[in-house]
Amino acid sequence: QVQLVESGGGLVQAGGSLRLSCEASGRPLTLSPMAWFRQAPGNERSFVAGINGSDETSYESESVKGRFNISRDFAKNTIYLQMNNLKPEDTANYFCAAGTQIYGPVYRDHTKYNFWGQGIQVTVSS
């Protein structure tokens, strides 16, 4: 079984930065697609960024493109989400997700992912 544990969330002022981490344990996810989603109260869970399992190509949603960056540390079985120039509308609970398909693509549909972290709160004040 895979466990995903997020860390690095918190409260930050608009324009500030945070880096989220997601450490996987239980089995290596080196070649699996992984992604970050977020969900604000009353909203659906939405795709933020993902990194595929084949050539490490990364993808970001239009709302965060140019501000957020996803990366992976193979040795630590960890992915990161560097968030810069944060805005109040980025406030949400952020979730790490992993698929099981080796060399699998990044899906923007949250139902395509098999494993999830517990979520971590990011709050951006104006």
Side-chain angles (χ1 to χ4, degrees):
Q1 186 66 298
V2 173
Q3 290 187 329
L4 303 176
V5 179
E6 300 102 336
S7 61
L11 173 65
V12 65
Q13 287 188 331
S17 298
L18 283 174
R19 188 176 80 154
L20 303 183
S21 300
C22 172
E23 182 176 3
S25 62
R27 74 180 229 195
L29 295 173
T30 307
L31 300 177
S32 300
M34 297 188 72
W36 289 95
F37 287 78
R38 66 187 181 186
Q39 187 169 18
N43 291 347
E44 293 187 356
R45 192 166 296 191
S46 62
F47 175 82
V48 177
I51 188 163
N52 70 17
S54 57
D55 59 6
E56 293 292 290
T57 300
S58 62
Y59 304 86
E60 296 83 26
S61 67
E62 287 300 317
S63 62
V64 306
K65 192 167 291 185
R67 301 188 297 122
F68 291 12
N69 180 64
I70 186 172
S71 61
R72 191 199 305 249
D73 185 326
F74 292 101
K76 296 181 179 179
N77 213 19
T78 298
I79 64 168
Y80 304 95
L81 184 68
Q82 177 67 43
M83 305 185 292
N84 299 323
N85 190 21
L86 282 158
K87 303 176 181 180
E89 50 264 42
D90 294 318
T91 295
N93 205 9
Y94 283 70
F95 297 88
C96 173
T100 58
Q101 183 181 358
I102 301 299
Y103 298 123
V106 169
Y107 294 105
R108 296 172 185 257
D109 179 357
H110 66 89
T111 65
K112 300 291 188 180
Y113 292 85
N114 305 89
F115 303 106
W116 290 87
Q118 79 285 357
I120 192 163
Q121 181 67 31
V122 171
T123 302
V124 184
S125 63
S126 57

